[in-house]
Amino acid sequence: MDNTTTLLGLLGTGASYGYDLKSRYDRWFGLKKPLAFGQVYTTLTRLMRNGWIVAIGAEAGAGPERKRYGITPAGRARVLEWIFTPEVPSETLQSDLFAKTIIALLLGDDAGRLLDLQRSRHMARMRELTNEKRGAGLAVVLACDHALFHIEADLRWIDLTAARLSQLQAEVKK
Amino acid sequence: MNKVETISMSARAPENGSAPLLSARGLRLAFGLTEALRGIDLDCHAGEIIAVTGPSGSGKSTLLHVLAGVLVPDEGTVDYDTVRLTDLDEAGRSRLRLDKFGFVFQYGQLLPDLNAVDNVTIPLLLAGVKRREARRRADAWLDRLGLGECSRKLPGQLSGGQAQRVAIARALATKPTLLFTDEPTGSLDSLAAETVMLALTEAARDANTAVILTTHDPRTAAYADREVVVRDGQITIGGAYG
């Protein structure tokens, strides 16, 4: 899963302190493995270096200095590009697709469209594999079948998520 | 957003210079208050194989029936070659279906009292082919689909996959330019479905017959040249970049 762009996407909903950003990340994506604080700040540093976020002032107080981070237009463009670029089908795809879907809903982008784009990418790969099977030996056929069934599982998830987008939208807005 | 892919909201095939064999524009059809089709454009070129997919109740079977001239849309047009299908009366549409179209249904729907070769012979006789020649062609089609040894069996003695291949032979025997098939693998297990789709697509390609099929199964859809996704009576993906 692309943690860097996922964090950037979360900042697209509004400027945030590092701690708040981590909490929001963990709510959606950290159920099994919460994000380490250190990783949040190294990621924010990298995002700033790329010009995708900026620090918005520092507040002096009793505790340590606190900075808020806000997304730049270039950062928002990077999030859009990420959301609408289909992934190469793979076993780790589901978590990335889930992250894109949630971020798209949080930002009011077209989550249905990203699922359609990914579905088309999957179907194109299925057509390639199906053509590879024509006239091939059984070993090749079975290898292609293995890949086809995995892609089909992803497709089922995509279709089911597409059917539940309104429900997910309502949950995201809570 | 310059790298963002765009999707076509209609389902026209990539330009290849030739006029489409079948062209539908602005199709709308309601059953009572339910809008089954809500403005569909679709082109199918000669020899092209298109899979229409979508969830149950999305309108894909209704679309197939409108394209085949079985149902008449409330609005929109369907042109087959130079004929405006949607301007024909029922008799005209029946004639066109008999002369130019083939059909394969989910359960084959073979005539149960006739053996396999007689089932394939019937449409040839209806088309005016002499009995001896019709029989020869029917046998050749059954051989082509790997059913030579089943030609004297009744439909009840065939497996689901064999019966479906007989239905394909029956549909292709009259050399249609366009074959419509509604869930051709819907009642079959994975292996039989694969055998049927391989037979269907290879036979159709050899005969340069275009195919429009509906399916809810991605593996069946993957045998097509492109996929058209229907949701809520509209095309959401035309496969233009697929």
Side-chain angles (χ1 to χ4, degrees):
Chain A
M1 182 174 157
D2 182 348
N3 289 332
T4 303
T5 319
T6 302
L7 281 173
L8 182 62
L10 286 170
L11 282 174
T13 62
S16 178
Y17 295 107
Y19 178 85
D20 295 336
L21 190 60
K22 174 195 155 35
S23 301
R24 291 169 65 205
Y25 178 98
D26 286 349
R27 179 193 168 197
W28 286 108
F29 314 112
L31 292 177
K32 286 185 183 167
K33 190 183 173 194
L35 205 57
F37 272 110
Q39 193 180 348
V40 175
Y41 288 103
T42 53
T43 302
L44 288 170
T45 304
R46 192 161 56 244
L47 290 171
M48 279 214 285
R49 202 167 52 232
N50 288 343
W52 291 339
I53 63 170
V54 287
I56 308 175
E59 293 175 6
E65 182 184 81
R66 298 182 74 205
K67 283 182 189 169
R68 285 199 309 147
Y69 300 89
I71 197 165
T72 63
R76 185 69 178 88
R78 168 66 195 125
V79 174
L80 276 175
E81 182 187 73
W82 173 67
I83 285 175
F84 291 117
T85 302
E87 302 287 343
V88 174
S90 74
E91 288 175 16
T92 57
L93 174 61
Q94 190 274 343
S95 58
D96 283 321
L97 253 186
F98 177 67
K100 286 184 181 187
T101 305
I102 295 292
I103 295 295
L105 289 173
L106 283 169
L107 296 177
D109 290 327
D110 191 345
R113 180 162 171 258
L114 89 84
L115 291 173
D116 279 347
L117 286 167
Q118 191 62 57
R119 185 192 163 81
S120 288
R121 182 69 188 82
H122 271 60
M123 281 306 303
R125 181 66 186 136
M126 286 187 80
R127 280 194 291 275
E128 287 170 9
L129 288 165
T130 301
N131 278 330
E132 280 177 33
K133 284 168 64 178
R134 291 181 192 276
L138 193 54
V140 171
V141 168
L142 290 176
C144 288
D145 278 340
H146 188 263
L148 280 164
F149 279 110
H150 277 279
I151 294 175
E152 187 185 9
D154 276 352
L155 271 175
R156 285 178 189 275
W157 184 87
I158 289 169
D159 284 347
L160 207 59
T161 304
R164 288 172 167 165
L165 264 188
S166 307
Q167 197 183 340
L168 190 56
Q169 174 97 65
E171 292 225 359
V172 162
K173 282 184 175 173
K174 274 181 190 171
Chain B
M1 286 186 64
N2 55 338
K3 288 185 183 172
V4 175
E5 289 185 80
T6 57
I7 58 173
S8 166
M9 298 309 287
S10 66
R12 298 179 186 94
E15 287 298 324
N16 62 6
S18 63
L21 180 67
L22 190 86
S23 182
R25 290 290 177 272
L27 293 180
R28 288 183 170 272
L29 179 60
F31 299 107
L33 294 175
T34 306
E35 288 186 291
L37 304 181
R38 300 193 297 145
I40 282 188
D41 297 346
L42 178 68
D43 284 344
C44 178
H45 287 75
E48 189 179 21
I49 300 177
I50 298 176
V52 181
T53 65
S56 298
S58 59
K60 56 186 187 295
S61 290
T62 302
L63 173 61
L64 191 83
H65 288 108
V66 169
L67 295 174
V70 176
L71 289 173
V72 179
D74 296 330
E75 288 179 35
T77 57
V78 178
D79 292 324
Y80 169 79
D81 201 2
T82 57
V83 178
R84 177 141 294 180
L85 181 61
T86 36
D87 281 353
L88 298 177
D89 60 12
E90 176 53 42
R93 295 199 306 277
S94 294
R95 188 75 236 170
L96 188 66
R97 288 198 298 268
L98 186 64
D99 289 347
K100 302 293 183 186
F101 297 167
F103 294 88
V104 175
F105 302 97
Q106 182 172 352
Y107 296 102
Q109 295 178 340
L110 301 174
L111 296 170
D113 297 329
L114 298 182
N115 65 27
V117 72
D118 286 341
N119 262 284
V120 181
T121 305
I122 289 283
L124 291 164
L125 296 176
L126 288 173
V129 178
K130 294 271 191 286
R131 179 169 291 277
R132 184 185 294 265
E133 173 61 12
R135 185 68 170 226
R136 189 193 66 73
R137 283 197 215 170
D139 274 326
W141 268 106
L142 289 176
D143 279 343
R144 168 77 181 77
L145 291 168
L147 294 163
E149 293 178 4
C150 301
S151 65
R152 302 298 181 269
K153 287 185 178 176
L154 293 170
Q157 298 170 310
L158 300 171
S159 69
Q162 287 172 332
Q164 201 62 319
R165 279 183 284 152
V166 173
I168 291 166
R170 182 177 64 178
L172 291 175
T174 54
K175 298 180 181 170
T177 53
L178 185 50
L179 179 73
F180 294 96
T181 172
D182 197 5
E183 297 281 2
T185 59
S187 60
L188 305 176
D189 62 47
S190 294
L191 190 56
E194 183 155 322
T195 308
V196 163
M197 285 310 298
L198 205 55
L200 171 63
T201 50
E202 289 192 351
R205 286 205 166 99
D206 287 351
N208 198 35
T209 298
V211 178
I212 301 178
L213 65 96
T214 66
T215 183
H216 67 276
D217 178 0
R219 276 174 293 125
T220 294
Y223 280 88
D225 298 322
R226 65 188 174 107
E227 182 193 34
V228 170
V229 180
V230 178
R231 284 202 190 100
D232 298 327
Q234 292 182 309
I235 288 173
T236 57
I237 301 177
Y241 60 92

